[in-house]
Amino acid sequence: MRRAALAAGAFAGLAACSPAAQVAAPAPTPAPAPANPPAGMQYLYGSGEAAALSVQVWQALAAYVSDRVKARPANSVVLADGASLATPSFAPCGTKPYAAIFDVDETVVLNIGFEFHDARTGRGWNAADWDAWEKTGEGAVAAVPGAAEGVARLRGMGVTVIFNTNRAVANAEATARAIRAAGLGEAVHGETLYLAGDDGQGNRKDGRRATIAAKYCVLAQGGDQLGDFSDLFNATGQSVPARRALTVGTPVSTLWGRGWFVLPNPVYGTALRGGFDDVFPMDKRWDLPADGGKN
Amino acid sequence: MRRAALAAGAFAGLAACSPAAQVAAPAPTPAPAPANPPAGMQYLYGSGEAAALSVQVWQALAAYVSDRVKARPANSVVLADGASLATPSFAPCGTKPYAAIFDVDETVVLNIGFEFHDARTGRGWNAADWDAWEKTGEGAVAAVPGAAEGVARLRGMGVTVIFNTNRAVANAEATARAIRAAGLGEAVHGETLYLAGDDGQGNRKDGRRATIAAKYCVLAQGGDQLGDFSDLFNATGQSVPARRALTVGTPVSTLWGRGWFVLPNPVYGTALRGGFDDVFPMDKRWDLPADGGKN
């Protein structure tokens, strides 16, 4: 995902570095460079655990799609217009050709260069730097482990790979170059690449998904954010625990790993929210026993 | 996993709070409670993204095992004695009954109560508090999303579920109670529960895996750390990028999602290591272009 609407990270308090702001005020003083990258970046960009997990998702996805193409399903894995998470229904497949829909950032592409800049300079995420990254970052991306092999396998099965990202429509060509540079093949705006600004719905992706599902039988969706599957997960005013509860033991939770495939991202986005009362249920708290647990 | 050998977190510099240390020195002054839990805890314990990802792993695992029990495989997914990651070979199945092996902490059980204590008090991880948690934490754990349903499905297929954890053998009964309290059923020490101290190999799990594979045809392994699959991932002196490279495009990487199943854990463990040069390859760095990317 792209983070324009979600800059809730540690540096969100820094002034946005737009040209106008640079004229009106001194540039923000960067924090001193930390000794190590944040834990989330160590995990996602550095660890064998996250690499293995990403390969796992892509291998499971390709195996799932391989099974699905053997017998045409009745429905796409895109929710139908008017469906809810409680009573899901899905866009019909008819005789449409097969496709799979993927977010770009931290789903097929690792934004290694930008996150280095973010962490090392202490500037953090800001809209101006991210826009420059979209325009010029193609040399400093890598494929998510397993993604290049995964999309190649899908194409080999006759499944059209479509990218649905919240990168800006103004940067469509540069984003296609970044996708190509990561070894993920060609993306053509309006055909296999959809971006924020393609319609009047901003960062919401349901409209673009409906456009795609009108033309294709969508066998799989992949993303690192719940909004990569349905905007319904991001209802305004919803608490952190209520949002989590939508994903477990519900009518849509059967889709995880069976049509909807989540990639790990503890670096940024809608997952990094919540205070202690949101994250730790009151009935699951613990403190040292008075005897230190010696009994 | 249990973290005795891996306490490389933000609070690792605090004195260990053993009884001896408490006598010899004043108790460490806890840091002030932070406003929010660390990002990794927000992700793992609070987000819909991590819950969905965990459900996905467990659903994919159960589907994979369901396929495997239909035709007896020749080999377990436990590496044979003397195998390497470059030239893997596997323990034979013969006519042995089916089993699956799982780590406990952050694989089948979320240690919500302990992590609350860790983050809220600023005491962080230390061996004494963790030992007390093993002994008394059973009321403040939860199942990893999808794990209770997953292990129940495996048992329904006739697959014995075996837990192989680095919790201490001295706390075997309490760990069995925690597993039961999380809704994961019964674990019997020496039969379906193996712990650190069962053999002379400390936190290394290969010996315990070999003991299990001598009695069972192991169809799947699950864990949040690479050491939950093979100790060979944790060779001494290995760099962070070299360790990551073992997991992608190698002879064992085909196992991710097909026998070996990784659960997300950006909170603690072997994944949270590395400086900037470990995490960000030199050829994937980026900084703002001189013109701010306007071209």
Side-chain angles (χ1 to χ4, degrees), chain A residues 111-156:
Chain A
N111 289 293
I112 295 174
F114 183 82
E115 299 301 339
F116 171 79
H117 168 75
D118 173 329
R120 188 63 167 214
T121 66
R123 290 169 65 92
W125 192 92
N126 64 79
D129 286 13
W130 180 259
D131 186 64
W133 167 253
E134 287 191 6
K135 287 181 165 68
T136 68
E138 67 191 77
V141 296
V144 167
E149 299 78 6
V151 300
R153 283 187 64 191
L154 297 184
R155 291 182 179 123

mmCIF file of all heavy atoms in Angstrom, chain A residues 111-156:
data_model
loop_
_atom_site.group_PDB
_atom_site.id
_atom_site.type_symbol
_atom_site.label_atom_id
_atom_site.label_comp_id
_atom_site.label_asym_id
_atom_site.label_seq_id
_atom_site.Cartn_x
_atom_site.Cartn_y
_atom_site.Cartn_z
ATOM 1 N N ASN A 111 10.194 -1.886 -0.568
ATOM 2 C CA ASN A 111 10.694 -0.522 -0.773
ATOM 3 C C ASN A 111 11.958 -0.280 0.046
ATOM 4 O O ASN A 111 12.013 0.608 0.911
ATOM 5 C CB ASN A 111 9.597 0.476 -0.416
ATOM 6 C CG ASN A 111 8.479 0.463 -1.435
ATOM 7 O OD1 ASN A 111 8.686 0.848 -2.575
ATOM 8 N ND2 ASN A 111 7.304 -0.014 -1.026
ATOM 9 N N ILE A 112 12.974 -1.070 -0.242
ATOM 10 C CA ILE A 112 14.176 -1.067 0.578
ATOM 11 C C ILE A 112 14.835 0.310 0.595
ATOM 12 O O ILE A 112 15.214 0.826 1.648
ATOM 13 C CB ILE A 112 15.151 -2.146 0.063
ATOM 14 C CG1 ILE A 112 14.514 -3.529 0.261
ATOM 15 C CG2 ILE A 112 16.486 -2.061 0.786
ATOM 16 C CD1 ILE A 112 15.316 -4.660 -0.350
ATOM 17 N N GLY A 113 14.963 0.919 -0.575
ATOM 18 C CA GLY A 113 15.626 2.224 -0.645
ATOM 19 C C GLY A 113 14.904 3.288 0.151
ATOM 20 O O GLY A 113 15.534 4.066 0.887
ATOM 21 N N PHE A 114 13.598 3.334 0.047
ATOM 22 C CA PHE A 114 12.854 4.351 0.785
ATOM 23 C C PHE A 114 12.936 4.114 2.283
ATOM 24 O O PHE A 114 13.107 5.059 3.062
ATOM 25 C CB PHE A 114 11.383 4.397 0.362
ATOM 26 C CG PHE A 114 10.648 5.485 1.083
ATOM 27 C CD1 PHE A 114 10.725 6.790 0.641
ATOM 28 C CD2 PHE A 114 9.930 5.226 2.250
ATOM 29 C CE1 PHE A 114 10.095 7.826 1.320
ATOM 30 C CE2 PHE A 114 9.306 6.243 2.940
ATOM 31 C CZ PHE A 114 9.387 7.553 2.478
ATOM 32 N N GLU A 115 12.813 2.893 2.707
ATOM 33 C CA GLU A 115 12.809 2.628 4.149
ATOM 34 C C GLU A 115 14.189 2.887 4.747
ATOM 35 O O GLU A 115 14.288 3.344 5.894
ATOM 36 C CB GLU A 115 12.327 1.200 4.430
ATOM 37 C CG GLU A 115 10.897 0.921 3.957
ATOM 38 C CD GLU A 115 9.836 1.812 4.580
ATOM 39 O OE1 GLU A 115 10.070 2.396 5.651
ATOM 40 O OE2 GLU A 115 8.743 1.939 3.976
ATOM 41 N N PHE A 116 15.245 2.638 3.988
ATOM 42 C CA PHE A 116 16.583 3.027 4.434
ATOM 43 C C PHE A 116 16.625 4.535 4.665
ATOM 44 O O PHE A 116 17.073 5.011 5.709
ATOM 45 C CB PHE A 116 17.628 2.608 3.391
ATOM 46 C CG PHE A 116 18.994 3.152 3.674
ATOM 47 C CD1 PHE A 116 19.792 2.559 4.631
ATOM 48 C CD2 PHE A 116 19.466 4.270 3.003
ATOM 49 C CE1 PHE A 116 21.054 3.077 4.914
ATOM 50 C CE2 PHE A 116 20.718 4.791 3.283
ATOM 51 C CZ PHE A 116 21.513 4.194 4.244
ATOM 52 N N HIS A 117 16.164 5.282 3.689
ATOM 53 C CA HIS A 117 16.133 6.751 3.785
ATOM 54 C C HIS A 117 15.292 7.196 4.990
ATOM 55 O O HIS A 117 15.708 8.064 5.771
ATOM 56 C CB HIS A 117 15.553 7.296 2.479
ATOM 57 C CG HIS A 117 15.183 8.740 2.507
ATOM 58 N ND1 HIS A 117 16.117 9.752 2.460
ATOM 59 C CD2 HIS A 117 13.971 9.361 2.588
ATOM 60 C CE1 HIS A 117 15.501 10.926 2.499
ATOM 61 N NE2 HIS A 117 14.208 10.716 2.576
ATOM 62 N N ASP A 118 14.143 6.589 5.132
ATOM 63 C CA ASP A 118 13.212 6.893 6.229
ATOM 64 C C ASP A 118 13.905 6.711 7.575
ATOM 65 O O ASP A 118 13.930 7.614 8.432
ATOM 66 C CB ASP A 118 12.002 5.951 6.059
ATOM 67 C CG ASP A 118 10.990 5.981 7.193
ATOM 68 O OD1 ASP A 118 11.358 6.224 8.349
ATOM 69 O OD2 ASP A 118 9.811 5.701 6.924
ATOM 70 N N ALA A 119 14.504 5.528 7.771
ATOM 71 C CA ALA A 119 15.088 5.204 9.073
ATOM 72 C C ALA A 119 16.409 5.931 9.308
ATOM 73 O O ALA A 119 16.685 6.418 10.410
ATOM 74 C CB ALA A 119 15.293 3.690 9.189
ATOM 75 N N ARG A 120 17.234 6.010 8.280
ATOM 76 C CA ARG A 120 18.583 6.527 8.469
ATOM 77 C C ARG A 120 18.591 8.038 8.666
ATOM 78 O O ARG A 120 19.374 8.561 9.455
ATOM 79 C CB ARG A 120 19.449 6.158 7.259
ATOM 80 C CG ARG A 120 20.912 6.470 7.419
ATOM 81 C CD ARG A 120 21.522 5.670 8.563
ATOM 82 N NE ARG A 120 22.963 5.742 8.529
ATOM 83 C CZ ARG A 120 23.768 4.758 8.895
ATOM 84 N NH1 ARG A 120 23.271 3.629 9.360
ATOM 85 N NH2 ARG A 120 25.063 4.898 8.840
ATOM 86 N N THR A 121 17.728 8.733 7.954
ATOM 87 C CA THR A 121 17.706 10.189 8.071
ATOM 88 C C THR A 121 16.852 10.667 9.220
ATOM 89 O O THR A 121 16.958 11.816 9.643
ATOM 90 C CB THR A 121 17.138 10.836 6.791
ATOM 91 O OG1 THR A 121 15.758 10.466 6.656
ATOM 92 C CG2 THR A 121 17.922 10.406 5.559
ATOM 93 N N GLY A 122 15.964 9.785 9.736
ATOM 94 C CA GLY A 122 15.019 10.244 10.749
ATOM 95 C C GLY A 122 13.919 11.125 10.184
ATOM 96 O O GLY A 122 13.109 11.649 10.949
ATOM 97 N N ARG A 123 13.874 11.310 8.869
ATOM 98 C CA ARG A 123 12.799 12.105 8.282
ATOM 99 C C ARG A 123 11.480 11.355 8.327
ATOM 100 O O ARG A 123 10.414 11.972 8.271
ATOM 101 C CB ARG A 123 13.133 12.453 6.830
ATOM 102 C CG ARG A 123 14.259 13.454 6.669
ATOM 103 C CD ARG A 123 14.716 13.557 5.216
ATOM 104 N NE ARG A 123 13.715 14.093 4.319
ATOM 105 C CZ ARG A 123 13.582 15.394 4.012
ATOM 106 N NH1 ARG A 123 14.384 16.266 4.574
ATOM 107 N NH2 ARG A 123 12.665 15.813 3.166
ATOM 108 N N GLY A 124 11.556 10.023 8.384
ATOM 109 C CA GLY A 124 10.329 9.240 8.446
ATOM 110 C C GLY A 124 9.534 9.363 7.162
ATOM 111 O O GLY A 124 10.011 9.874 6.143
ATOM 112 N N TRP A 125 8.305 8.869 7.231
ATOM 113 C CA TRP A 125 7.454 8.957 6.058
ATOM 114 C C TRP A 125 6.921 10.371 5.926
ATOM 115 O O TRP A 125 6.478 10.979 6.897
ATOM 116 C CB TRP A 125 6.280 7.978 6.181
ATOM 117 C CG TRP A 125 5.561 7.857 4.866
ATOM 118 C CD1 TRP A 125 5.817 6.945 3.890
ATOM 119 C CD2 TRP A 125 4.503 8.678 4.374
ATOM 120 N NE1 TRP A 125 4.990 7.150 2.824
ATOM 121 C CE2 TRP A 125 4.168 8.210 3.091
ATOM 122 C CE3 TRP A 125 3.805 9.764 4.888
ATOM 123 C CZ2 TRP A 125 3.166 8.786 2.310
ATOM 124 C CZ3 TRP A 125 2.808 10.363 4.120
ATOM 125 C CH2 TRP A 125 2.495 9.864 2.838
ATOM 126 N N ASN A 126 6.970 10.926 4.733
ATOM 127 C CA ASN A 126 6.241 12.164 4.453
ATOM 128 C C ASN A 126 5.880 12.153 2.979
ATOM 129 O O ASN A 126 6.515 11.470 2.158
ATOM 130 C CB ASN A 126 7.063 13.399 4.842
ATOM 131 C CG ASN A 126 8.319 13.533 4.022
ATOM 132 O OD1 ASN A 126 8.282 13.984 2.884
ATOM 133 N ND2 ASN A 126 9.458 13.107 4.598
ATOM 134 N N ALA A 127 4.829 12.864 2.646
ATOM 135 C CA ALA A 127 4.239 12.751 1.307
ATOM 136 C C ALA A 127 5.218 13.182 0.215
ATOM 137 O O ALA A 127 5.260 12.572 -0.860
ATOM 138 C CB ALA A 127 2.958 13.574 1.238
ATOM 139 N N ALA A 128 6.017 14.224 0.491
ATOM 140 C CA ALA A 128 6.922 14.729 -0.554
ATOM 141 C C ALA A 128 8.026 13.716 -0.855
ATOM 142 O O ALA A 128 8.332 13.435 -2.024
ATOM 143 C CB ALA A 128 7.524 16.060 -0.122
ATOM 144 N N ASP A 129 8.651 13.168 0.203
ATOM 145 C CA ASP A 129 9.708 12.178 -0.023
ATOM 146 C C ASP A 129 9.136 10.938 -0.711
ATOM 147 O O ASP A 129 9.781 10.347 -1.590
ATOM 148 C CB ASP A 129 10.366 11.777 1.302
ATOM 149 C CG ASP A 129 11.286 12.869 1.853
ATOM 150 O OD1 ASP A 129 11.220 14.017 1.356
ATOM 151 O OD2 ASP A 129 12.058 12.575 2.789
ATOM 152 N N TRP A 130 7.948 10.531 -0.287
ATOM 153 C CA TRP A 130 7.357 9.335 -0.900
ATOM 154 C C TRP A 130 7.050 9.574 -2.384
ATOM 155 O O TRP A 130 7.273 8.697 -3.229
ATOM 156 C CB TRP A 130 6.098 8.902 -0.149
ATOM 157 C CG TRP A 130 5.507 7.673 -0.782
ATOM 158 C CD1 TRP A 130 4.441 7.618 -1.631
ATOM 159 C CD2 TRP A 130 5.993 6.329 -0.669
ATOM 160 N NE1 TRP A 130 4.224 6.327 -2.052
ATOM 161 C CE2 TRP A 130 5.159 5.525 -1.473
ATOM 162 C CE3 TRP A 130 7.045 5.737 0.035
ATOM 163 C CZ2 TRP A 130 5.354 4.147 -1.600
ATOM 164 C CZ3 TRP A 130 7.235 4.366 -0.086
ATOM 165 C CH2 TRP A 130 6.394 3.578 -0.898
ATOM 166 N N ASP A 131 6.591 10.764 -2.712
ATOM 167 C CA ASP A 131 6.331 11.074 -4.119
ATOM 168 C C ASP A 131 7.630 11.024 -4.930
ATOM 169 O O ASP A 131 7.654 10.475 -6.046
ATOM 170 C CB ASP A 131 5.665 12.449 -4.241
ATOM 171 C CG ASP A 131 5.245 12.745 -5.678
ATOM 172 O OD1 ASP A 131 4.374 12.028 -6.205
ATOM 173 O OD2 ASP A 131 5.814 13.674 -6.277
ATOM 174 N N ALA A 132 8.702 11.571 -4.354
ATOM 175 C CA ALA A 132 10.002 11.494 -5.038
ATOM 176 C C ALA A 132 10.435 10.037 -5.199
ATOM 177 O O ALA A 132 11.006 9.649 -6.237
ATOM 178 C CB ALA A 132 11.051 12.287 -4.260
ATOM 179 N N TRP A 133 10.162 9.233 -4.160
ATOM 180 C CA TRP A 133 10.482 7.807 -4.245
ATOM 181 C C TRP A 133 9.692 7.117 -5.358
ATOM 182 O O TRP A 133 10.250 6.341 -6.151
ATOM 183 C CB TRP A 133 10.205 7.141 -2.892
ATOM 184 C CG TRP A 133 10.200 5.641 -2.921
ATOM 185 C CD1 TRP A 133 9.120 4.828 -2.822
ATOM 186 C CD2 TRP A 133 11.336 4.781 -3.085
ATOM 187 N NE1 TRP A 133 9.495 3.517 -2.906
ATOM 188 C CE2 TRP A 133 10.856 3.452 -3.068
ATOM 189 C CE3 TRP A 133 12.700 5.004 -3.240
ATOM 190 C CZ2 TRP A 133 11.695 2.349 -3.194
ATOM 191 C CZ3 TRP A 133 13.553 3.900 -3.369
ATOM 192 C CH2 TRP A 133 13.046 2.598 -3.356
ATOM 193 N N GLU A 134 8.414 7.396 -5.451
ATOM 194 C CA GLU A 134 7.624 6.792 -6.541
ATOM 195 C C GLU A 134 8.229 7.142 -7.893
ATOM 196 O O GLU A 134 8.278 6.313 -8.802
ATOM 197 C CB GLU A 134 6.166 7.289 -6.497
ATOM 198 C CG GLU A 134 5.341 6.701 -5.369
ATOM 199 C CD GLU A 134 3.840 7.010 -5.514
ATOM 200 O OE1 GLU A 134 3.434 7.583 -6.547
ATOM 201 O OE2 GLU A 134 3.083 6.676 -4.577
ATOM 202 N N LYS A 135 8.715 8.389 -8.020
ATOM 203 C CA LYS A 135 9.233 8.858 -9.309
ATOM 204 C C LYS A 135 10.620 8.295 -9.630
ATOM 205 O O LYS A 135 10.938 8.084 -10.810
ATOM 206 C CB LYS A 135 9.323 10.394 -9.304
ATOM 207 C CG LYS A 135 7.979 11.118 -9.382
ATOM 208 C CD LYS A 135 8.199 12.638 -9.390
ATOM 209 C CE LYS A 135 6.961 13.414 -9.816
ATOM 210 N NZ LYS A 135 5.855 13.328 -8.836
ATOM 211 N N THR A 136 11.435 8.062 -8.601
ATOM 212 C CA THR A 136 12.865 7.797 -8.866
ATOM 213 C C THR A 136 13.409 6.533 -8.206
ATOM 214 O O THR A 136 14.605 6.259 -8.330
ATOM 215 C CB THR A 136 13.737 8.977 -8.374
ATOM 216 O OG1 THR A 136 13.690 9.027 -6.937
ATOM 217 C CG2 THR A 136 13.270 10.301 -8.954
ATOM 218 N N GLY A 137 12.578 5.767 -7.530
ATOM 219 C CA GLY A 137 13.089 4.685 -6.694
ATOM 220 C C GLY A 137 13.339 3.363 -7.396
ATOM 221 O O GLY A 137 13.769 2.393 -6.763
ATOM 222 N N GLU A 138 13.096 3.308 -8.687
ATOM 223 C CA GLU A 138 13.097 1.992 -9.345
ATOM 224 C C GLU A 138 14.400 1.215 -9.187
ATOM 225 O O GLU A 138 14.389 -0.009 -9.247
ATOM 226 C CB GLU A 138 12.759 2.166 -10.828
ATOM 227 C CG GLU A 138 13.849 2.907 -11.609
ATOM 228 C CD GLU A 138 13.386 3.314 -12.998
ATOM 229 O OE1 GLU A 138 12.638 4.295 -13.101
ATOM 230 O OE2 GLU A 138 13.787 2.658 -13.972
ATOM 231 N N GLY A 139 15.514 1.923 -8.965
ATOM 232 C CA GLY A 139 16.769 1.191 -8.820
ATOM 233 C C GLY A 139 16.988 0.601 -7.442
ATOM 234 O O GLY A 139 17.940 -0.150 -7.232
ATOM 235 N N ALA A 140 16.134 0.938 -6.500
ATOM 236 C CA ALA A 140 16.373 0.540 -5.108
ATOM 237 C C ALA A 140 15.214 -0.257 -4.523
ATOM 238 O O ALA A 140 14.992 -0.267 -3.317
ATOM 239 C CB ALA A 140 16.652 1.779 -4.255
ATOM 240 N N VAL A 141 14.487 -0.961 -5.392
ATOM 241 C CA VAL A 141 13.455 -1.889 -4.927
ATOM 242 C C VAL A 141 13.950 -3.316 -5.114
ATOM 243 O O VAL A 141 14.908 -3.578 -5.834
ATOM 244 C CB VAL A 141 12.129 -1.718 -5.706
ATOM 245 C CG1 VAL A 141 11.528 -0.336 -5.466
ATOM 246 C CG2 VAL A 141 12.335 -1.975 -7.195
ATOM 247 N N ALA A 142 13.288 -4.233 -4.449
ATOM 248 C CA ALA A 142 13.503 -5.663 -4.692
ATOM 249 C C ALA A 142 12.141 -6.331 -4.678
ATOM 250 O O ALA A 142 11.181 -5.796 -4.104
ATOM 251 C CB ALA A 142 14.406 -6.277 -3.622
ATOM 252 N N ALA A 143 12.046 -7.481 -5.291
ATOM 253 C CA ALA A 143 10.809 -8.254 -5.182
ATOM 254 C C ALA A 143 10.659 -8.784 -3.766
ATOM 255 O O ALA A 143 11.648 -9.132 -3.111
ATOM 256 C CB ALA A 143 10.819 -9.416 -6.167
ATOM 257 N N VAL A 144 9.434 -8.824 -3.269
ATOM 258 C CA VAL A 144 9.159 -9.606 -2.065
ATOM 259 C C VAL A 144 9.612 -11.043 -2.323
ATOM 260 O O VAL A 144 9.364 -11.582 -3.411
ATOM 261 C CB VAL A 144 7.647 -9.566 -1.745
ATOM 262 C CG1 VAL A 144 7.266 -10.596 -0.699
ATOM 263 C CG2 VAL A 144 7.248 -8.158 -1.296
ATOM 264 N N PRO A 145 10.303 -11.673 -1.360
ATOM 265 C CA PRO A 145 10.760 -13.045 -1.612
ATOM 266 C C PRO A 145 9.615 -13.966 -2.050
ATOM 267 O O PRO A 145 8.587 -14.039 -1.382
ATOM 268 C CB PRO A 145 11.340 -13.468 -0.250
ATOM 269 C CG PRO A 145 11.805 -12.177 0.371
ATOM 270 C CD PRO A 145 10.786 -11.151 -0.065
ATOM 271 N N GLY A 146 9.806 -14.597 -3.170
ATOM 272 C CA GLY A 146 8.788 -15.504 -3.702
ATOM 273 C C GLY A 146 7.834 -14.872 -4.701
ATOM 274 O O GLY A 146 7.152 -15.583 -5.444
ATOM 275 N N ALA A 147 7.763 -13.524 -4.742
ATOM 276 C CA ALA A 147 6.753 -12.869 -5.577
ATOM 277 C C ALA A 147 7.060 -13.009 -7.067
ATOM 278 O O ALA A 147 6.145 -13.252 -7.867
ATOM 279 C CB ALA A 147 6.630 -11.394 -5.196
ATOM 280 N N ALA A 148 8.317 -12.850 -7.453
ATOM 281 C CA ALA A 148 8.638 -12.933 -8.885
ATOM 282 C C ALA A 148 8.324 -14.328 -9.418
ATOM 283 O O ALA A 148 7.730 -14.482 -10.493
ATOM 284 C CB ALA A 148 10.111 -12.580 -9.107
ATOM 285 N N GLU A 149 8.703 -15.346 -8.646
ATOM 286 C CA GLU A 149 8.398 -16.712 -9.057
ATOM 287 C C GLU A 149 6.882 -16.936 -9.047
ATOM 288 O O GLU A 149 6.330 -17.621 -9.911
ATOM 289 C CB GLU A 149 9.080 -17.710 -8.110
ATOM 290 C CG GLU A 149 10.601 -17.615 -8.090
ATOM 291 C CD GLU A 149 11.152 -16.444 -7.268
ATOM 292 O OE1 GLU A 149 10.363 -15.742 -6.599
ATOM 293 O OE2 GLU A 149 12.376 -16.222 -7.324
ATOM 294 N N GLY A 150 6.204 -16.365 -8.060
ATOM 295 C CA GLY A 150 4.752 -16.543 -7.939
ATOM 296 C C GLY A 150 3.995 -15.941 -9.108
ATOM 297 O O GLY A 150 3.142 -16.604 -9.716
ATOM 298 N N VAL A 151 4.297 -14.690 -9.452
ATOM 299 C CA VAL A 151 3.545 -14.083 -10.557
ATOM 300 C C VAL A 151 3.902 -14.768 -11.877
ATOM 301 O O VAL A 151 3.039 -14.911 -12.755
ATOM 302 C CB VAL A 151 3.747 -12.544 -10.637
ATOM 303 C CG1 VAL A 151 3.281 -11.871 -9.344
ATOM 304 C CG2 VAL A 151 5.173 -12.170 -10.951
ATOM 305 N N ALA A 152 5.141 -15.226 -12.019
ATOM 306 C CA ALA A 152 5.498 -15.957 -13.242
ATOM 307 C C ALA A 152 4.703 -17.261 -13.346
ATOM 308 O O ALA A 152 4.231 -17.631 -14.438
ATOM 309 C CB ALA A 152 6.999 -16.232 -13.267
ATOM 310 N N ARG A 153 4.530 -17.938 -12.219
ATOM 311 C CA ARG A 153 3.741 -19.180 -12.241
ATOM 312 C C ARG A 153 2.289 -18.891 -12.625
ATOM 313 O O ARG A 153 1.684 -19.631 -13.416
ATOM 314 C CB ARG A 153 3.780 -19.883 -10.882
ATOM 315 C CG ARG A 153 5.071 -20.630 -10.617
ATOM 316 C CD ARG A 153 4.990 -21.444 -9.325
ATOM 317 N NE ARG A 153 3.997 -22.518 -9.365
ATOM 318 C CZ ARG A 153 3.596 -23.211 -8.312
ATOM 319 N NH1 ARG A 153 4.092 -22.937 -7.111
ATOM 320 N NH2 ARG A 153 2.702 -24.173 -8.429
ATOM 321 N N LEU A 154 1.730 -17.823 -12.066
ATOM 322 C CA LEU A 154 0.343 -17.486 -12.399
ATOM 323 C C LEU A 154 0.206 -17.207 -13.896
ATOM 324 O O LEU A 154 -0.721 -17.715 -14.549
ATOM 325 C CB LEU A 154 -0.122 -16.272 -11.594
ATOM 326 C CG LEU A 154 -0.174 -16.431 -10.072
ATOM 327 C CD1 LEU A 154 -0.750 -15.171 -9.432
ATOM 328 C CD2 LEU A 154 -0.990 -17.649 -9.656
ATOM 329 N N ARG A 155 1.119 -16.399 -14.421
ATOM 330 C CA ARG A 155 1.036 -16.094 -15.856
ATOM 331 C C ARG A 155 1.161 -17.372 -16.688
ATOM 332 O O ARG A 155 0.495 -17.523 -17.719
ATOM 333 C CB ARG A 155 2.115 -15.080 -16.228
ATOM 334 C CG ARG A 155 1.850 -13.688 -15.639
ATOM 335 C CD ARG A 155 2.918 -12.684 -16.081
ATOM 336 N NE ARG A 155 2.678 -11.356 -15.549
ATOM 337 C CZ ARG A 155 3.539 -10.654 -14.807
ATOM 338 N NH1 ARG A 155 4.722 -11.169 -14.515
ATOM 339 N NH2 ARG A 155 3.224 -9.452 -14.368
ATOM 340 N N GLY A 156 2.007 -18.291 -16.223
ATOM 341 C CA GLY A 156 2.160 -19.558 -16.936
ATOM 342 C C GLY A 156 0.902 -20.407 -16.936
ATOM 343 O O GLY A 156 0.728 -21.281 -17.788
#
